[in-house]
Amino acid sequence: MPWITRGLSEGVVTTRYPARPDDYGELWRGAVSLVEQRRGPAVPDQVESDGTSSAADLAALCPTGAIGTTKARLHLDRGRCILCGRCVEARPDLFRFDPSPEVASIHRQGLVLGADVQEDEGALAQVRAELARRTRGLRRSVHIRHVDVGSDGSDEWEVKALGNPVYDIHRLGIFFTASPRHADILLATGVGSAGMVGPLRRTYESMPDPKVVIAAGTDATSGGLVHRTYATSGGIGDLLPVDVWVPGSPPSPFSLLHGILLALGLVTERGRSGNPEGGRAL
């Protein structure tokens, strides 16, 4: 049959991530970053010839308000970025695409780049230790309950892709379940529409402890284009305690996989653990 010869000719297409890096993850356009990522580029006082140098003009490049200034330096909130690329196209000297899909963070402020963003390492260490304590019992039986809380549908396509032969999340002992009573992880997508607040909270309350909440996609991390309205929240963080934030509109399957593995302590926020034994084995 044709699928047999095709399979033999193509060989194994399943990623080996996180045991080793994968070319699939490096081929996508990536998340937006600042050229000077640590402190953020300085914002010129004078408007240059292209007319887009002032802080107000730079902020106007982003339809979701992801670009701002602090102490005369730019900062970029990946949690608000919808990957439209307007800023990269207009000011490639200030913004660029970072091809790495490993963008998840265990705290919301970790999605903000530049502007001398200060992180309390002591507090972060406590968050990591608490998350590790709660997920220590999860080995080769990790179950995810996915809830769409008002998405545009794009996030769901990427979540579904985790089960295909390329990503094959089941190889890591991670499975999706229809029952919250069997779930260890609540994966929420969407803006948090008013009509779904009740079902989301009931799902969370029905899950056994310990449990983990992942906000997947820009809609879930910040509310996306609409932000807070009479019918939507400002993201899942307004409704539930979030453990892992995965930006992107939509996030790639690799970004979702990175966020899930980050919640389980198998990878770090800056990428994979370095080898199959670098994190806690499933």
Side-chain angles (χ1 to χ4, degrees), residues 6-270:
R6 179 180 176 183
L8 291 174
S9 63
E10 291 185 354
V12 178
V13 297
T14 304
T15 178
R16 295 297 185 266
Y17 181 86
R20 54 178 182 260
D22 195 296
D23 291 339
Y24 285 107
E26 300 298 326
L27 292 177
W28 81 305
R29 186 169 66 169
V32 177
S33 292
L34 298 173
V35 172
E36 298 179 38
Q37 187 163 314
R38 181 171 296 275
R39 297 187 61 203
V43 180
D45 293 329
Q46 302 297 323
V47 177
E48 296 177 359
S49 58
D50 60 7
T52 58
S53 289
S54 70
D57 288 337
L58 291 173
L61 292 174
C62 182
T64 63
I67 300 173
T69 59
T70 302
K71 299 179 180 178
R73 289 192 174 273
L74 281 178
H75 62 76
L76 172 68
D77 186 352
R78 280 181 169 176
R80 290 187 178 275
C81 177
I82 58 172
L83 305 179
C84 66
R86 292 175 59 186
C87 57
V88 177
E89 181 180 354
R91 294 303 303 265
D93 57 320
L94 299 177
F95 305 96
R96 63 182 176 85
F97 282 113
D98 181 355
S100 174
E102 297 169 328
V103 292
S105 175
I106 61 171
H107 59 126
R108 179 65 178 84
Q109 193 65 14
L111 301 181
V112 182
L113 307 180
D116 292 322
V117 175
Q118 300 296 321
E119 298 180 353
D120 187 336
E121 290 298 330
L124 286 179
Q126 290 182 353
V127 171
R128 293 189 185 100
E130 172 61 18
L131 185 59
R133 183 192 65 78
R134 286 192 284 124
T135 60
R136 189 174 295 119
L138 303 180
R139 290 294 186 268
R140 294 193 60 85
S141 182
V142 181
H143 289 76
I144 300 173
R145 177 68 172 104
H146 169 231
V147 178
D148 175 359
V149 199
S151 171
D152 60 6
S154 61
D155 298 322
E156 284 64 45
W157 281 106
E158 306 306 302
V159 171
K160 185 175 182 179
L162 291 174
N164 72 27
V166 174
Y167 305 100
D168 189 16
I169 196 172
H170 298 163
R171 68 192 161 85
L172 299 171
I174 304 172
F175 308 91
F176 285 90
T177 180
S179 172
R181 299 190 185 280
H182 299 159
D184 308 294
I185 296 175
L186 173 56
L187 181 69
T189 56
V191 296
S193 59
M196 284 300 297
V197 171
L200 177 67
R201 287 178 174 163
R202 286 196 296 272
T203 299
Y204 176 79
E205 292 167 359
S206 298
M207 293 172 60
D209 292 322
K211 50 196 170 190
V212 175
V213 177
I214 299 177
T218 299
D219 285 348
T221 58
S222 68
L225 275 170
V226 296
H227 298 306
R228 291 180 180 86
T229 70
Y230 73 95
T232 65
S233 69
I236 305 304
D238 288 352
L239 310 175
L240 295 177
V242 176
D243 298 292
V244 176
W245 308 81
V246 185
S249 185
S252 76
F254 269 111
S255 295
L256 293 169
L257 186 54
H258 174 242
I260 294 168
L261 295 176
L262 178 62
L264 299 174
L266 293 170
V267 297
T268 66
E269 287 183 275
R270 293 177 176 83

